[in-house]
Amino acid sequence: GVRVTKIGQNAFANIEAPVNDKKEWSTYPQFNMHSPYVEAAIKAGFNVFSLANNHSNDWYLEGIKSTENYFSNRANIWACGLRKKSNDNLTFKIIEKNGIKILFIAITEILNRPDYASYIDYYPNNSKYRTKLFEQLTKITNENSYDFFVMSIHTDEEEYKSKITESHKIFYNNLIEKYGVDVIWANHPHITKPWEIINTNNKQSLIMYANGNTISGQRTAPS
């Protein structure tokens, strides 16, 4: 699936499949796409990509490395969510465009399989990983200069359900209050959910609880 959000003349999309031209196209339950699919998105104007989601490791380390390599070799294209080495720190990008510096981070709370999770910005919804995430966010936000902070979160929640979980509301508000996130862009449910403006620290932040899909071949109909 692809879902896009536009901020500061940048278009943000979640690419929910490995990108590996050496492997056949594949659909549910193990996705794989070829580079022309992504090239079409780029030609349409999308230039910032989240690569962290439950399908990131569908084709194991080969799929992770081919995806990371594809995006890292593109000029003026930014992507986060996959690591070059096992157990590297949380990945991030500073996107500078039209005089604005945007900090971009993408994480996933869920994976379909445990294989090579250490190569993914994977932070499950538990105290151990949340502490680890907060430590990394503290370091990144303290050591970098930026004007705007966008964070993509692939959530550990039921698909096709419109309910907003209380635990995610608390988590998102914590990210806004402590780390100054300006936009929380949650994805995974495959349906649209409400959005919310949070007023804190003398500024407004936006929470998008789920935006549905821009392009997706779903295996079931939404309830």
Side-chain angles (χ1 to χ4, degrees), residues 65-115:
K65 284 189 173 293
S66 66
T67 306
E68 197 281 330
N69 183 64
Y70 169 80
F71 282 97
S72 65
N73 286 318
R74 290 304 308 266
N76 299 314
I77 300 298
W78 296 271
C80 287
L82 300 181
R83 303 167 179 175
K84 289 184 179 295
K85 298 179 181 178
S86 174
N87 289 315
D88 266 358
N89 292 329
L90 174 64
T91 66
F92 69 94
K93 292 290 187 297
I94 302 290
I95 305 159
E96 189 166 0
K97 194 171 183 182
N98 298 329
I100 299 173
K101 288 184 178 180
I102 301 173
L103 170 62
F104 178 56
I105 289 173
I107 69 166
T108 183
E109 298 180 321
I110 183 173
L111 290 173
N112 290 343
R113 59 181 69 243
D115 310 81

Short mmCIF file of all heavy atoms in Angstrom, two decimals, residues 65-115:
data_model
loop_
_atom_site.label_atom_id
_atom_site.label_comp_id
_atom_site.label_asym_id
_atom_site.label_seq_id
_atom_site.Cartn_x
_atom_site.Cartn_y
_atom_site.Cartn_z
N LYS A 65 17.83 -5.31 2.60
CA LYS A 65 19.02 -4.69 2.01
C LYS A 65 18.73 -4.12 0.62
O LYS A 65 19.21 -3.04 0.26
CB LYS A 65 20.17 -5.70 1.97
CG LYS A 65 20.82 -5.93 3.33
CD LYS A 65 22.07 -6.76 3.22
CE LYS A 65 22.80 -6.83 4.55
NZ LYS A 65 23.35 -5.52 4.96
N SER A 66 17.97 -4.83 -0.18
CA SER A 66 17.67 -4.32 -1.53
C SER A 66 16.83 -3.05 -1.44
O SER A 66 17.02 -2.12 -2.23
CB SER A 66 16.95 -5.39 -2.36
OG SER A 66 15.67 -5.68 -1.82
N THR A 67 15.90 -3.00 -0.49
CA THR A 67 15.06 -1.81 -0.31
C THR A 67 15.88 -0.63 0.18
O THR A 67 15.79 0.48 -0.37
CB THR A 67 13.92 -2.10 0.68
OG1 THR A 67 13.20 -3.26 0.27
CG2 THR A 67 12.97 -0.92 0.78
N GLU A 68 16.69 -0.86 1.20
CA GLU A 68 17.53 0.20 1.75
C GLU A 68 18.50 0.72 0.70
O GLU A 68 18.70 1.93 0.55
CB GLU A 68 18.28 -0.31 2.98
CG GLU A 68 18.85 0.78 3.88
CD GLU A 68 20.15 1.36 3.35
OE1 GLU A 68 20.91 0.63 2.66
OE2 GLU A 68 20.41 2.55 3.59
N ASN A 69 19.08 -0.19 -0.07
CA ASN A 69 20.04 0.19 -1.11
C ASN A 69 19.36 1.00 -2.22
O ASN A 69 19.93 1.99 -2.71
CB ASN A 69 20.68 -1.07 -1.71
CG ASN A 69 21.75 -0.75 -2.74
OD1 ASN A 69 22.77 -0.15 -2.42
ND2 ASN A 69 21.52 -1.16 -3.97
N TYR A 70 18.17 0.61 -2.62
CA TYR A 70 17.45 1.34 -3.66
C TYR A 70 17.23 2.80 -3.25
O TYR A 70 17.51 3.72 -4.03
CB TYR A 70 16.11 0.67 -3.95
CG TYR A 70 15.21 1.51 -4.83
CD1 TYR A 70 15.39 1.55 -6.20
CD2 TYR A 70 14.22 2.31 -4.26
CE1 TYR A 70 14.59 2.36 -7.01
CE2 TYR A 70 13.42 3.11 -5.05
CZ TYR A 70 13.60 3.14 -6.42
OH TYR A 70 12.83 3.95 -7.21
N PHE A 71 16.73 3.01 -2.04
CA PHE A 71 16.41 4.37 -1.62
C PHE A 71 17.65 5.18 -1.29
O PHE A 71 17.68 6.40 -1.52
CB PHE A 71 15.44 4.34 -0.43
CG PHE A 71 14.03 4.07 -0.82
CD1 PHE A 71 13.50 2.79 -0.74
CD2 PHE A 71 13.21 5.08 -1.31
CE1 PHE A 71 12.20 2.51 -1.13
CE2 PHE A 71 11.90 4.83 -1.69
CZ PHE A 71 11.39 3.54 -1.60
N SER A 72 18.68 4.56 -0.76
CA SER A 72 19.88 5.30 -0.38
C SER A 72 20.65 5.79 -1.60
O SER A 72 21.47 6.71 -1.49
CB SER A 72 20.79 4.44 0.49
OG SER A 72 21.28 3.32 -0.23
N ASN A 73 20.39 5.21 -2.76
CA ASN A 73 21.09 5.60 -3.98
C ASN A 73 20.30 6.59 -4.84
O ASN A 73 20.69 6.86 -5.97
CB ASN A 73 21.43 4.35 -4.81
CG ASN A 73 22.58 3.57 -4.21
OD1 ASN A 73 23.56 4.15 -3.76
ND2 ASN A 73 22.46 2.25 -4.19
N ARG A 74 19.21 7.11 -4.32
CA ARG A 74 18.41 8.08 -5.06
C ARG A 74 18.68 9.50 -4.57
O ARG A 74 18.57 9.78 -3.38
CB ARG A 74 16.92 7.77 -4.92
CG ARG A 74 16.45 6.51 -5.63
CD ARG A 74 16.79 6.55 -7.11
NE ARG A 74 16.31 7.77 -7.75
CZ ARG A 74 15.15 7.89 -8.37
NH1 ARG A 74 14.36 6.85 -8.47
NH2 ARG A 74 14.79 9.03 -8.92
N ALA A 75 19.04 10.40 -5.47
CA ALA A 75 19.25 11.80 -5.11
C ALA A 75 17.92 12.50 -4.85
O ALA A 75 16.93 12.26 -5.55
CB ALA A 75 20.01 12.51 -6.23
N ASN A 76 17.90 13.34 -3.84
CA ASN A 76 16.72 14.14 -3.49
C ASN A 76 15.51 13.29 -3.14
O ASN A 76 14.36 13.73 -3.28
CB ASN A 76 16.38 15.11 -4.61
CG ASN A 76 17.49 16.10 -4.89
OD1 ASN A 76 18.07 16.67 -3.97
ND2 ASN A 76 17.83 16.28 -6.17
N ILE A 77 15.76 12.06 -2.72
CA ILE A 77 14.72 11.17 -2.20
C ILE A 77 15.17 10.75 -0.80
O ILE A 77 16.30 10.33 -0.59
CB ILE A 77 14.54 9.92 -3.08
CG1 ILE A 77 14.13 10.34 -4.50
CG2 ILE A 77 13.52 8.96 -2.48
CD1 ILE A 77 12.80 11.06 -4.59
N TRP A 78 14.26 10.87 0.16
CA TRP A 78 14.60 10.58 1.55
C TRP A 78 13.74 9.42 2.05
O TRP A 78 12.55 9.34 1.76
CB TRP A 78 14.38 11.80 2.42
CG TRP A 78 15.27 12.95 2.06
CD1 TRP A 78 16.51 13.21 2.55
CD2 TRP A 78 14.99 13.99 1.12
NE1 TRP A 78 17.03 14.35 1.98
CE2 TRP A 78 16.12 14.85 1.09
CE3 TRP A 78 13.90 14.29 0.29
CZ2 TRP A 78 16.18 15.98 0.29
CZ3 TRP A 78 13.97 15.41 -0.52
CH2 TRP A 78 15.09 16.25 -0.51
N ALA A 79 14.36 8.52 2.81
CA ALA A 79 13.63 7.37 3.35
C ALA A 79 14.20 6.99 4.71
O ALA A 79 15.41 7.09 4.94
CB ALA A 79 13.71 6.18 2.39
N CYS A 80 13.33 6.54 5.59
CA CYS A 80 13.73 6.10 6.93
C CYS A 80 13.01 4.81 7.28
O CYS A 80 11.94 4.50 6.75
CB CYS A 80 13.37 7.16 7.97
SG CYS A 80 14.38 8.62 7.95
N GLY A 81 13.61 4.08 8.21
CA GLY A 81 12.95 2.90 8.74
C GLY A 81 13.78 1.64 8.65
O GLY A 81 13.52 0.67 9.37
N LEU A 82 14.79 1.62 7.76
CA LEU A 82 15.66 0.45 7.61
C LEU A 82 17.10 0.85 7.92
O LEU A 82 17.54 1.95 7.59
CB LEU A 82 15.58 -0.10 6.19
CG LEU A 82 14.21 -0.58 5.73
CD1 LEU A 82 14.29 -1.12 4.31
CD2 LEU A 82 13.64 -1.64 6.67
N ARG A 83 17.84 -0.07 8.53
CA ARG A 83 19.21 0.19 8.97
C ARG A 83 20.21 -0.55 8.09
O ARG A 83 19.93 -1.65 7.62
CB ARG A 83 19.38 -0.26 10.42
CG ARG A 83 18.39 0.40 11.37
CD ARG A 83 18.36 -0.28 12.71
NE ARG A 83 17.42 0.38 13.62
CZ ARG A 83 17.12 -0.06 14.83
NH1 ARG A 83 17.67 -1.18 15.27
NH2 ARG A 83 16.27 0.61 15.59
N LYS A 84 21.37 0.05 7.90
CA LYS A 84 22.42 -0.59 7.12
C LYS A 84 23.04 -1.77 7.87
O LYS A 84 23.45 -2.76 7.26
CB LYS A 84 23.51 0.42 6.78
CG LYS A 84 23.09 1.46 5.75
CD LYS A 84 24.25 2.37 5.38
CE LYS A 84 23.85 3.39 4.33
NZ LYS A 84 23.49 2.76 3.03
N LYS A 85 23.09 -1.65 9.21
CA LYS A 85 23.70 -2.70 10.02
C LYS A 85 22.74 -3.13 11.13
O LYS A 85 21.89 -2.35 11.56
CB LYS A 85 25.01 -2.20 10.65
CG LYS A 85 26.08 -1.83 9.64
CD LYS A 85 27.33 -1.32 10.35
CE LYS A 85 28.41 -0.92 9.37
NZ LYS A 85 29.61 -0.38 10.05
N SER A 86 22.92 -4.35 11.59
CA SER A 86 22.09 -4.87 12.68
C SER A 86 22.30 -4.04 13.94
O SER A 86 23.43 -3.70 14.30
CB SER A 86 22.48 -6.33 12.94
OG SER A 86 21.80 -6.82 14.08
N ASN A 87 21.18 -3.70 14.59
CA ASN A 87 21.21 -2.98 15.86
C ASN A 87 21.83 -1.59 15.77
O ASN A 87 22.32 -1.05 16.77
CB ASN A 87 21.92 -3.80 16.95
CG ASN A 87 21.10 -4.99 17.38
OD1 ASN A 87 19.89 -4.87 17.60
ND2 ASN A 87 21.73 -6.15 17.48
N ASP A 88 21.84 -1.00 14.58
CA ASP A 88 22.22 0.40 14.47
C ASP A 88 21.21 1.26 15.23
O ASP A 88 20.14 0.80 15.64
CB ASP A 88 22.23 0.84 13.00
CG ASP A 88 23.61 0.72 12.38
OD1 ASP A 88 24.55 0.34 13.10
OD2 ASP A 88 23.73 1.00 11.18
N ASN A 89 21.55 2.54 15.39
CA ASN A 89 20.64 3.46 16.05
C ASN A 89 19.44 3.77 15.15
O ASN A 89 19.44 3.47 13.96
CB ASN A 89 21.37 4.76 16.40
CG ASN A 89 22.42 4.56 17.47
OD1 ASN A 89 22.28 3.70 18.35
ND2 ASN A 89 23.47 5.35 17.42
N LEU A 90 18.43 4.37 15.73
CA LEU A 90 17.25 4.81 15.00
C LEU A 90 17.66 5.70 13.83
O LEU A 90 18.45 6.63 13.98
CB LEU A 90 16.35 5.60 15.97
CG LEU A 90 15.11 6.29 15.41
CD1 LEU A 90 14.13 5.27 14.84
CD2 LEU A 90 14.44 7.12 16.51
N THR A 91 17.14 5.40 12.64
CA THR A 91 17.48 6.19 11.46
C THR A 91 16.64 7.48 11.43
O THR A 91 15.53 7.53 11.97
CB THR A 91 17.26 5.41 10.16
OG1 THR A 91 15.86 5.15 9.99
CG2 THR A 91 18.03 4.10 10.17
N PHE A 92 17.20 8.50 10.81
CA PHE A 92 16.46 9.75 10.64
C PHE A 92 17.03 10.51 9.45
O PHE A 92 18.13 10.24 8.99
CB PHE A 92 16.52 10.62 11.91
CG PHE A 92 17.88 11.19 12.20
CD1 PHE A 92 18.22 12.47 11.77
CD2 PHE A 92 18.83 10.46 12.91
CE1 PHE A 92 19.48 13.00 12.03
CE2 PHE A 92 20.08 10.98 13.18
CZ PHE A 92 20.42 12.26 12.74
N LYS A 93 16.25 11.44 8.94
CA LYS A 93 16.69 12.30 7.85
C LYS A 93 16.34 13.75 8.19
O LYS A 93 15.30 14.02 8.79
CB LYS A 93 16.02 11.92 6.53
CG LYS A 93 16.45 10.58 5.97
CD LYS A 93 17.88 10.61 5.47
CE LYS A 93 18.27 9.33 4.73
NZ LYS A 93 18.24 8.13 5.57
N ILE A 94 17.23 14.67 7.80
CA ILE A 94 16.93 16.09 7.83
C ILE A 94 16.70 16.52 6.38
O ILE A 94 17.60 16.46 5.55
CB ILE A 94 18.07 16.92 8.44
CG1 ILE A 94 18.38 16.47 9.87
CG2 ILE A 94 17.71 18.41 8.41
CD1 ILE A 94 17.32 16.79 10.90
N ILE A 95 15.48 16.89 6.08
CA ILE A 95 15.09 17.27 4.72
C ILE A 95 15.04 18.79 4.65
O ILE A 95 14.23 19.43 5.33
CB ILE A 95 13.71 16.68 4.37
CG1 ILE A 95 13.71 15.16 4.58
CG2 ILE A 95 13.29 17.06 2.97
CD1 ILE A 95 12.34 14.58 4.75
N GLU A 96 15.91 19.36 3.84
CA GLU A 96 15.95 20.82 3.72
C GLU A 96 15.39 21.22 2.37
O GLU A 96 15.94 20.85 1.32
CB GLU A 96 17.37 21.34 3.88
CG GLU A 96 17.45 22.85 3.99
CD GLU A 96 18.80 23.35 4.48
OE1 GLU A 96 19.68 22.51 4.73
OE2 GLU A 96 18.94 24.58 4.60
N LYS A 97 14.30 21.97 2.39
CA LYS A 97 13.65 22.37 1.14
C LYS A 97 12.89 23.67 1.37
O LYS A 97 12.22 23.83 2.39
CB LYS A 97 12.69 21.27 0.68
CG LYS A 97 12.22 21.43 -0.76
CD LYS A 97 11.47 20.20 -1.22
CE LYS A 97 11.07 20.32 -2.67
NZ LYS A 97 10.30 19.14 -3.13
N ASN A 98 13.04 24.58 0.44
CA ASN A 98 12.36 25.87 0.52
C ASN A 98 12.64 26.60 1.83
O ASN A 98 11.77 27.25 2.41
CB ASN A 98 10.85 25.70 0.33
CG ASN A 98 10.50 25.11 -1.03
OD1 ASN A 98 11.21 25.35 -2.00
ND2 ASN A 98 9.44 24.34 -1.09
N GLY A 99 13.89 26.46 2.31
CA GLY A 99 14.29 27.16 3.52
C GLY A 99 13.81 26.55 4.81
O GLY A 99 13.98 27.13 5.90
N ILE A 100 13.20 25.36 4.74
CA ILE A 100 12.68 24.68 5.93
C ILE A 100 13.44 23.37 6.14
O ILE A 100 13.64 22.61 5.19
CB ILE A 100 11.18 24.40 5.81
CG1 ILE A 100 10.39 25.69 5.65
CG2 ILE A 100 10.66 23.61 7.01
CD1 ILE A 100 8.93 25.48 5.35
N LYS A 101 13.85 23.12 7.37
CA LYS A 101 14.50 21.86 7.72
C LYS A 101 13.49 20.97 8.44
O LYS A 101 12.97 21.33 9.49
CB LYS A 101 15.71 22.09 8.62
CG LYS A 101 16.90 22.71 7.93
CD LYS A 101 18.08 22.79 8.90
CE LYS A 101 19.31 23.35 8.24
NZ LYS A 101 20.46 23.42 9.20
N ILE A 102 13.21 19.82 7.85
CA ILE A 102 12.24 18.88 8.42
C ILE A 102 12.98 17.64 8.92
O ILE A 102 13.69 16.99 8.16
CB ILE A 102 11.19 18.47 7.38
CG1 ILE A 102 10.44 19.70 6.87
CG2 ILE A 102 10.21 17.46 7.98
CD1 ILE A 102 9.49 19.41 5.72
N LEU A 103 12.80 17.33 10.19
CA LEU A 103 13.30 16.08 10.76
C LEU A 103 12.26 15.00 10.49
O LEU A 103 11.08 15.17 10.81
CB LEU A 103 13.53 16.23 12.27
CG LEU A 103 13.82 14.95 13.05
CD1 LEU A 103 15.12 14.28 12.59
CD2 LEU A 103 13.88 15.24 14.56
N PHE A 104 12.69 13.90 9.88
CA PHE A 104 11.78 12.80 9.58
C PHE A 104 12.28 11.51 10.19
O PHE A 104 13.45 11.15 10.05
CB PHE A 104 11.64 12.62 8.06
CG PHE A 104 10.75 11.48 7.66
CD1 PHE A 104 9.45 11.40 8.11
CD2 PHE A 104 11.23 10.47 6.82
CE1 PHE A 104 8.62 10.34 7.74
CE2 PHE A 104 10.41 9.42 6.44
CZ PHE A 104 9.10 9.35 6.90
N ILE A 105 11.37 10.82 10.89
CA ILE A 105 11.66 9.52 11.52
C ILE A 105 10.48 8.60 11.23
O ILE A 105 9.33 9.04 11.23
CB ILE A 105 11.87 9.68 13.04
CG1 ILE A 105 13.21 10.38 13.32
CG2 ILE A 105 11.81 8.33 13.75
CD1 ILE A 105 13.43 10.72 14.78
N ALA A 106 10.76 7.31 10.98
CA ALA A 106 9.70 6.33 10.72
C ALA A 106 9.99 5.07 11.53
O ALA A 106 11.08 4.49 11.43
CB ALA A 106 9.62 6.00 9.24
N ILE A 107 9.02 4.64 12.33
CA ILE A 107 9.17 3.42 13.11
C ILE A 107 7.97 2.50 12.88
O ILE A 107 6.93 2.93 12.39
CB ILE A 107 9.30 3.70 14.62
CG1 ILE A 107 7.96 4.22 15.20
CG2 ILE A 107 10.43 4.69 14.91
CD1 ILE A 107 7.88 4.22 16.71
N THR A 108 8.14 1.24 13.24
CA THR A 108 7.00 0.31 13.26
C THR A 108 6.93 -0.36 14.63
O THR A 108 7.95 -0.68 15.24
CB THR A 108 7.10 -0.76 12.15
OG1 THR A 108 5.93 -1.58 12.18
CG2 THR A 108 8.35 -1.62 12.28
N GLU A 109 5.70 -0.55 15.10
CA GLU A 109 5.46 -1.27 16.35
C GLU A 109 5.20 -2.76 16.10
O GLU A 109 5.07 -3.53 17.04
CB GLU A 109 4.23 -0.70 17.07
CG GLU A 109 4.35 0.75 17.47
CD GLU A 109 3.09 1.22 18.18
OE1 GLU A 109 1.97 0.84 17.77
OE2 GLU A 109 3.23 1.98 19.15
N ILE A 110 5.11 -3.14 14.83
CA ILE A 110 4.66 -4.48 14.50
C ILE A 110 5.44 -5.03 13.31
O ILE A 110 5.77 -4.30 12.38
CB ILE A 110 3.13 -4.47 14.20
CG1 ILE A 110 2.59 -5.86 13.92
CG2 ILE A 110 2.82 -3.51 13.06
CD1 ILE A 110 1.08 -5.90 13.77
N LEU A 111 5.77 -6.33 13.36
CA LEU A 111 6.34 -7.06 12.24
C LEU A 111 5.57 -8.37 12.09
O LEU A 111 5.13 -8.96 13.08
CB LEU A 111 7.83 -7.36 12.48
CG LEU A 111 8.81 -6.19 12.45
CD1 LEU A 111 10.20 -6.65 12.87
CD2 LEU A 111 8.86 -5.54 11.07
N ASN A 112 5.45 -8.84 10.86
CA ASN A 112 4.75 -10.11 10.63
C ASN A 112 5.59 -11.32 11.01
O ASN A 112 5.06 -12.41 11.21
CB ASN A 112 4.33 -10.22 9.16
CG ASN A 112 3.22 -9.25 8.81
OD1 ASN A 112 2.55 -8.74 9.69
ND2 ASN A 112 3.04 -9.01 7.53
N ARG A 113 6.90 -11.13 11.07
CA ARG A 113 7.82 -12.20 11.41
C ARG A 113 9.00 -11.59 12.16
O ARG A 113 9.32 -10.41 11.96
CB ARG A 113 8.30 -12.93 10.15
CG ARG A 113 9.01 -12.03 9.16
CD ARG A 113 9.44 -12.77 7.90
NE ARG A 113 8.30 -13.15 7.09
CZ ARG A 113 7.97 -14.42 6.82
NH1 ARG A 113 8.71 -15.41 7.28
NH2 ARG A 113 6.94 -14.68 6.07
N PRO A 114 9.70 -12.36 12.99
CA PRO A 114 10.80 -11.79 13.78
C PRO A 114 12.12 -11.66 13.04
O PRO A 114 13.04 -11.01 13.54
CB PRO A 114 10.92 -12.79 14.94
CG PRO A 114 10.49 -14.09 14.35
CD PRO A 114 9.39 -13.75 13.37
N ASP A 115 12.22 -12.27 11.85
CA ASP A 115 13.50 -12.35 11.15
C ASP A 115 14.11 -10.97 10.89
O ASP A 115 13.46 -10.10 10.32
CB ASP A 115 13.32 -13.06 9.81
CG ASP A 115 12.57 -14.38 9.95
OD1 ASP A 115 11.32 -14.33 10.04
OD2 ASP A 115 13.23 -15.42 9.99
#
